[in-house]
Amino acid sequence: MDPDYLPFHPNPSKPSYVPPPGAVDAHCHVFGPGDAFPYAPERKYTPCDAPKERLFALRDFLGFERNVIVQASCHGRDNRALVDALQSAGDKARGVAVVGPDIQLDELRAMHEAGVRAVRFNFVKRLVDATPKEVFLDIAEKIASLGWHIVVYFEAQDLEELTPFLKQLPTPIVVDHMGRPDIAKGVQHPDFQRFVRLLEENANIWTKVSCPERLSLSGPPGYDDVVPFSRHLVERFPDRALWGTDWPHPNMKSHMPDDGGLVDVIPRIAPDAASQQRLLVDNPLRLYWS
Ligand code: 0GY
């Protein structure tokens, strides 16, 4: 069960940028440790263990107060590592779970008690086997009754096909990593503008301006080619954008980002104190802590 991608950065730099009090890292994961919380048999990659203690230490080191921990595909629908981390973090973390069609209301209520506030629907074909849309719609109805929302992960080429489905969902929706645009095409390309239009036309759709390290062609330290995309979304949708580290960066094979360097990208995508406050504090608190 050796990991099949790079380990997370062992010694991130201290960022120059200091997040405002109450700042939330709204996209990160815990993995294992595998001997306590085994990885899913159906997983498409085996991660490096990334236990809760390391996540909480990173949160403090980077100057954040809270985490939103997202269930990743390597743990399948077994949310035990996530729930364990949430219970340890108390009010400092909220969670996004992955559930199947047989999930019961009492199981959802127990997860709510632990801090789960959303489910994730993953459409990325290299990460998961396909789930029928009717199954997702059933889950959506169940979780809506708890006031949860839905996090969706897809790649840009799938947006057109997915749009009617997204419009059917009864809750707020958060799109991971800006819908994974093709950065080489540029902000004005019809593909990215289709994503912008989706948010313009649907006030319940939010996005995470995260993961420059996955999208960039120019690479670290500044991920300069991704900044115009993130900045565009923060400017157009200041009340519906979230930011996250994506620690421990599952499946990153080209390079492993310095998490301090990722934090230093924030003032380039949200250049003034008011937009940083919304991106890092007000927006995630409204969605996950109210
Ligand atoms: C991410 C990105 C990835 C993986 C997962 O669920 C997952 O396994 O989300 C990826 O490989 O793009 O959001 O952290």
Side-chain angles (χ1 to χ4, degrees):
M1 205 173 75
D2 286 340
D4 46 22
Y5 66 91
L6 298 165
F8 54 84
H9 198 296
N11 190 21
S13 59
K14 187 83 179 163
S16 311
Y17 173 66
V18 178
V24 181
D25 172 355
H27 186 94
C28 50
H29 310 282
V30 287
F31 295 151
D35 49 6
F37 301 108
Y39 299 112
E42 72 275 18
R43 69 186 180 279
K44 308 291 187 204
Y45 63 85
T46 298
C48 306
D49 284 346
K52 60 187 176 184
E53 295 83 3
R54 295 296 296 262
L55 175 65
F56 302 156
L58 182 75
R59 172 197 69 202
D60 297 344
F61 177 74
L62 297 177
F64 286 76
E65 284 186 20
R66 299 179 172 99
N67 294 119
V68 178
I69 307 173
V70 177
Q71 175 81 352
S73 60
C74 57
H75 272 301
R77 293 170 183 165
D78 178 352
N79 296 284
R80 281 178 297 167
L82 168 68
V83 166
D84 174 70
L86 294 175
Q87 286 169 336
S88 299
D91 201 43
K92 285 173 172 272
R94 293 289 188 258
V96 178
V98 173
V99 303
D102 43 359
I103 191 77
Q104 301 296 310
L105 209 50
D106 58 342
E107 296 174 277
L108 293 173
R109 287 207 187 96
M111 283 197 263
H112 188 96
E113 189 63 29
V116 174
R117 293 291 182 272
V119 287
R120 191 185 200 202
F121 295 167
N122 193 335
F123 294 95
V124 179
K125 296 179 184 77
R126 67 188 161 77
L127 291 173
V128 287
D129 300 323
T131 298
K133 302 228 173 53
E134 307 74 59
V135 169
F136 280 144
L137 289 171
D138 279 354
I139 294 170
E141 289 302 328
K142 282 186 191 162
I143 62 100
S145 69
L146 291 160
W148 291 11
H149 63 272
I150 296 166
V151 173
V152 291
Y153 190 24
F154 58 81
E155 296 180 323
Q157 67 271 16
D158 297 320
L159 174 58
E160 193 169 7
E161 189 269 318
L162 276 175
T163 298
F165 167 76
L166 297 176
K167 289 183 176 180
Q168 277 179 276
L169 294 176
T171 70
I173 299 167
V174 181
V175 179
D176 279 340
H177 315 333
M178 306 189 281
R180 290 199 65 126
D182 180 347
I183 295 303
K185 291 178 173 168
V187 168
Q188 295 309 328
H189 190 277
D191 286 358
F192 187 63
Q193 288 304 316
R194 177 182 290 126
F195 182 63
V196 171
R197 219 166 41 247
L198 180 77
L199 270 71
E200 272 170 4
E201 291 171 359
N202 297 275
N204 65 326
I205 304 188
W206 300 42
T207 190
K208 291 175 195 162
V209 288
S210 47
C211 271
E213 74 279 13
R214 285 183 198 282
L215 305 172
S216 181
L217 302 172
S218 61
Y223 302 107
D224 299 341
D225 52 350
V226 184
V227 167
F229 289 78
S230 321
R231 190 168 171 151
H232 189 77
L233 292 173
V234 168
E235 276 171 8
R236 293 288 283 272
F237 309 105
D239 298 318
R240 288 187 271 149
L242 304 170
W243 183 90
T245 54
D246 192 33
W247 186 89
H249 313 287
N251 248 338
M252 280 294 292
K253 297 192 172 96
S254 59
H255 71 287
M256 194 39 75
D258 170 351
D259 297 282
L262 290 174
V263 173
D264 277 331
V265 177
I266 294 172
R268 298 170 60 214
I269 64 179
D272 56 80
S275 60
Q276 292 162 11
Q277 172 74 20
R278 288 198 265 194
L279 178 66
L280 299 174
V281 184
D282 300 347
N283 296 349
L285 288 192
R286 205 160 74 249
L287 199 56
Y288 288 93
W289 272 267
S290 64

